[in-house]
Amino acid sequence: SGLPLPLAALQILFLNLMSDGCPAVALSKEPADPEIMDVPPRPKNQQLMTSDWWIYGILPHVFFQAIAVLGALVIGMYLTTGHIRNADINRSCIRENDSDQTSKPYLCECYSWDWKTSEWQTHINYVNENGVLVRKDNVGISPTEVPPPGRPAFSPRDLGLDFDDWTRTVPKTQEGELCSKTGSLKGRTIAFVCAVCCEILRAYTVRSWTWAWEVFNRNMWLHAAAAFSGSLTILITLIPGLNSVFSATALEWWMYFFAIAWAFFNLVMDEIVPKPIYRRVLRMRRERDEMKKAKLLSVTPADV
């Protein structure tokens, strides 16, 4: 499909240790399920992960979480770069050697959705002869107007444009500063926040086969663990230096809500799809067992 990777290796490690670890420890403080005595003991040789748990507990969650994270990634990439696939994102930049994707880009034209104006923003990045990145929003430059690779000393006014009010960076511009990379990093950070929140909210749906809201406040330790893991995730994306270690970046406020909304989609689907089906299956099994028991009790000695 050519999609960017939703999660980096260190993000997966953080997800397993923090977003899973803290709520998992808090779940140890859960009170016993009221219906626990209605469930017969399991055979000694039965596996810890039962077939019921695989079918009704794990597989539905994995399926819906994959939809949530990939949905957050695809739409997030589109909103932050104007593209979805890696190939299209790479084509948003002109390189010194078009046939060599490892050569340095010197012009990028990217797009992003602006929440305040509800309009698309155009971002132009141009690296001049001295390696200084100049950039501006909502300005279009035709590729034919840009000096070709190996160009001589260049004045912005040669393009008929005034670069005096453009934002400038120090020389030796890194490719990661270009809009194609920063936009892509935002899209992947949205997917990361979504994945972490999916696992945090999973703790609320996994602890009982009853509706999550019916047992919402029975374990206050879980609220504290979820708040800690969620806050730590947001801080990782906001703190300069630390976010680069985790291959993340700071997002606009609405992007955080967008990522969390996908996680709540996962929570809702975990509630309304597998739980009613499993409860119905249990009810049918109990009714069948009761019918068998009644039939055995109805047998008289004469019938034997």
Side-chain angles (χ1 to χ4, degrees), residues 18-31 200 203-204 207 215-230:
M18 298 306 302
S19 64
D20 276 350
C22 293
V25 172
L27 285 175
S28 66
K29 305 293 290 184
E30 279 288 308
I200 293 174
Y204 288 93
R207 57 182 175 165
V215 294
F216 183 72
N217 283 321
R218 77 179 185 183
N219 181 3
M220 302 308 293
W221 286 101
L222 183 57
H223 297 334
F228 175 77
S229 295

Side-chain angles (χ1 to χ4, degrees), residues 69-83:
V69 174
L70 290 177
L73 175 68
V74 169
I75 300 179
M77 293 296 297
Y78 183 70
L79 292 176
T80 55
T81 67
H83 303 289

Side-chain angles (χ1 to χ4, degrees), residues 24-25 30 47 51 62 71 77 81 115 129 131 147 153 160 196 220 248 274 287 291 304:
V25 172
E30 279 288 308
Q47 295 181 356
S51 58
V62 171
M77 293 296 297
T81 67
W115 177 270
E129 281 293 305
V196 171
M220 302 308 293
E287 292 174 354
M291 290 178 60
V304 178

Side-chain angles (χ1 to χ4, degrees), residues 8-297:
L10 200 57
Q11 291 175 348
I12 296 175
L13 181 62
F14 172 86
L15 192 149
N16 287 328
L17 293 179
M18 298 306 302
S19 64
D20 276 350
C22 293
V25 172
L27 285 175
S28 66
K29 305 293 290 184
E30 279 288 308
D33 196 308
E35 299 179 354
I36 192 171
M37 298 306 294
D38 296 333
V39 180
R42 296 189 302 177
K44 291 189 301 181
N45 59 351
Q46 189 177 56
Q47 295 181 356
L48 181 63
M49 303 294 289
T50 64
S51 58
D52 281 355
W53 182 240
W54 276 106
I55 296 172
Y56 303 106
I58 296 178
L59 294 179
H61 171 71
V62 171
F63 176 73
F64 293 125
Q65 184 175 5
I67 293 177
V69 174
L70 290 177
L73 175 68
V74 169
I75 300 179
M77 293 296 297
Y78 183 70
L79 292 176
T80 55
T81 67
H83 303 289
I84 295 174
R85 300 188 309 120
N86 272 326
D88 296 328
I89 296 172
N90 291 334
R91 280 195 290 267
S92 64
C93 292
I94 300 176
R95 298 179 179 271
E96 293 182 352
N97 185 352
D98 289 337
S99 61
D100 183 7
Q101 289 299 310
T102 62
S103 63
K104 294 182 179 180
Y106 68 94
L107 174 72
C108 294
E109 182 172 347
C110 314
Y111 311 93
S112 67
W113 178 257
D114 185 85
W115 177 270
K116 296 179 181 178
T117 62
S118 297
E119 294 178 348
W120 285 96
Q121 302 289 322
T122 302
H123 309 280
I124 301 298
N125 289 183
Y126 176 75
V127 181
N128 68 15
E129 281 293 305
N130 298 319
V132 178
L133 172 67
V134 291
R135 56 176 174 252
K136 191 176 180 69
D137 298 332
N138 292 327
V139 173
I141 298 179
S142 169
T144 58
E145 297 176 315
V146 179
R151 53 202 181 282
F154 160 69
S155 169
R157 289 181 175 79
D158 292 341
L159 301 183
L161 297 171
D162 184 5
F163 282 4
D164 291 341
D165 61 341
W166 284 41
T167 303
R168 296 175 180 271
T169 65
V170 296
K172 306 300 181 182
T173 298
Q174 301 296 317
E175 188 172 343
E177 299 176 38
L178 297 172
C179 61
S180 59
K181 297 297 183 180
T182 57
S184 178
L185 188 58
K186 284 185 177 181
R188 294 182 61 188
T189 302
I190 290 174
F192 167 60
V193 173
C194 173
V196 171
C197 291
C198 282
E199 288 303 302
I200 293 174
L201 296 178
R202 172 62 168 163
Y204 288 93
T205 62
V206 77
R207 57 182 175 165
S208 174
W209 287 109
T210 58
W211 299 119
W213 55 84
E214 293 180 359
V215 294
F216 183 72
N217 283 321
R218 77 179 185 183
N219 181 3
M220 302 308 293
W221 286 101
L222 183 57
H223 297 334
F228 175 77
S229 295
S231 300
L232 192 59
T233 302
I234 302 301
L235 287 176
I236 280 178
T237 66
L238 292 176
I239 299 177
L242 184 61
N243 53 15
S244 61
V245 171
F246 282 88
S247 303
T249 188
L251 301 174
E252 298 179 41
W253 66 268
W254 65 268
M255 295 179 182
Y256 290 104
F257 283 97
F258 175 76
I260 295 171
W262 276 103
F264 271 95
F265 160 81
N266 189 189
L267 179 145
V268 171
M269 298 307 293
D270 282 348
E271 286 288 298
I272 67 175
V273 176
K275 285 189 175 182
I277 296 175
Y278 181 66
R279 288 199 294 265
R280 180 177 177 83
V281 169
L282 280 184
R283 186 167 59 250
M284 293 173 61
R285 288 176 182 173
R286 289 170 183 170
E287 292 174 354
R288 183 186 60 196
D289 293 341
E290 289 173 1
M291 290 178 60
K292 289 182 179 179
K293 187 182 298 183
K295 186 178 294 186
L296 289 174
L297 292 175

